[in-house]
Amino acid sequence: MMVKTVLVTGVNGFIGSHVAALLGKSHRVYGTGGAPACSVPLAGYRQMVLPDQQLAAFMRQVRPDVVVHCAGRGSIPFSVNHPAEDFDAGPRLVAHVLDSMRRAAVPARFFFPSSAAVYGNPERLPVSEDAPLCPVSPYGCHKVLSEKLISQYHSLYGIEYVVLRVFSCYGEGLSKQLLWDAAVKACAGRVELSGTGEETRDFIHVHDLARLAELLMLRDVSCVTLNAASGRQVSVKELAGLLMRGLEADVPVLFSGALRQGDPLRWQADVARMQSLGFEPHISLEEGVRRFARWFRQQGARRNGS
């Protein structure tokens, strides 16, 4: 296997840390990022904090084969409440990293975890990569803009890319979003979630997402946009039930009936393009939720000093 040099931005975030840890087992991995946002201690890469103006110079120094851009925000509610800040952490930052690659003149591929939020509420399921892009949140809109920037930098400057439209990514270390919210509420003895419970999502474990990135990197796949998901449609109610069993929590799960602004109704990915490249997720939703529940309980034990 040819050893690659990889630069991961947002290396302390949930996705970035897992990607860096997996790739760091076999490749030269450098990570840039600020304070850790992921609760799982991971190793296998060299980390540094670089001022924005030094990114191009650093790229010229290490000559990465791949830049995996995981920096940014991953919250639809945050984007609804703070759209300008979400823009700065989204398209503006994507443009900065791409332009640093252009100025450094490194022949690296740009890997970008986009989001299923670009589809909004698809007219039909499963949704393929060729479906119309109709985001219903600033977060989704900013992912569309970021994808357009990537396409433009490819057309004008020849920067090759891989865009992964990530559906609902979850796993150990994610101390926000649906599973974390429900687990925290279960500990308090009452779980009430937004919506009706019939809303659906398509989940992919973060370790499988990292494996997919490595596969595409090793096969030198470029200039492709892929759905990154399991292809399985699961209701929020079913997910919550799996979590309660994993936590061994005898707590009823209630639903408010009101959707949060910007949240989609139903998601299921067409994963034929991903499968055609030889990739299948290894971690089932049932196993992934058990892993998350075990990690969550360990977090509580550590906080209690046991």
Side-chain angles (χ1 to χ4, degrees), residues 132-281:
L133 305 185
C134 302
V136 294
S137 66
Y139 176 76
C141 181
H142 296 156
K143 291 295 188 182
V144 172
L145 291 174
S146 295
E147 289 189 18
K148 289 183 180 295
L149 280 167
I150 293 166
S151 178
Q152 184 181 68
Y153 268 78
H154 170 67
S155 298
L156 294 177
Y157 310 114
I159 294 177
E160 297 186 350
Y161 65 88
V162 172
V163 169
L164 299 176
R165 289 180 180 158
V166 182
F167 279 64
S168 296
C169 185
Y170 74 104
E172 308 88 283
L174 185 58
S175 54
K176 61 179 181 179
Q177 298 182 1
L178 179 58
L179 283 173
W180 175 266
D181 183 40
V184 169
K185 289 176 177 177
C187 290
R190 186 175 188 275
V191 179
E192 181 175 336
L193 305 175
S194 62
T196 66
E198 300 304 321
E199 297 81 18
T200 62
R201 298 291 182 263
D202 188 336
F203 291 91
I204 183 168
H205 193 275
V206 66
H207 183 72
D208 280 326
L209 181 61
R211 286 181 50 246
L212 174 59
E214 182 179 38
L215 174 79
L216 300 174
M217 183 184 78
L218 291 176
R219 294 192 176 181
D220 292 328
V221 173
S222 64
C223 301
V224 66
T225 297
L226 294 175
N227 286 335
S230 69
R232 173 186 174 188
Q233 186 177 189
V234 178
S235 72
V236 174
K237 184 181 295 183
E238 180 182 349
L239 178 76
L242 288 173
L243 178 62
M244 294 305 114
R245 289 193 289 276
L247 293 171
E248 299 179 355
D250 186 16
V251 180
V253 179
L254 308 175
F255 294 90
S256 68
L259 270 180
R260 297 184 308 179
Q261 188 176 8
D263 277 354
L265 294 173
R266 305 180 74 83
W267 269 353
Q268 182 186 15
D270 181 338
V271 293
R273 189 177 295 181
M274 182 184 76
Q275 291 172 334
S276 72
L277 294 169
F279 183 82
E280 292 282 353

Side-chain angles (χ1 to χ4, degrees), residues 39-41 173 294-306:
S39 302
V40 175
R294 183 166 58 247
W295 167 78
F296 182 85
R297 291 196 303 269
Q298 291 169 348
Q299 294 295 105
R302 279 195 287 269
R303 284 194 296 268
N304 294 329
S306 58

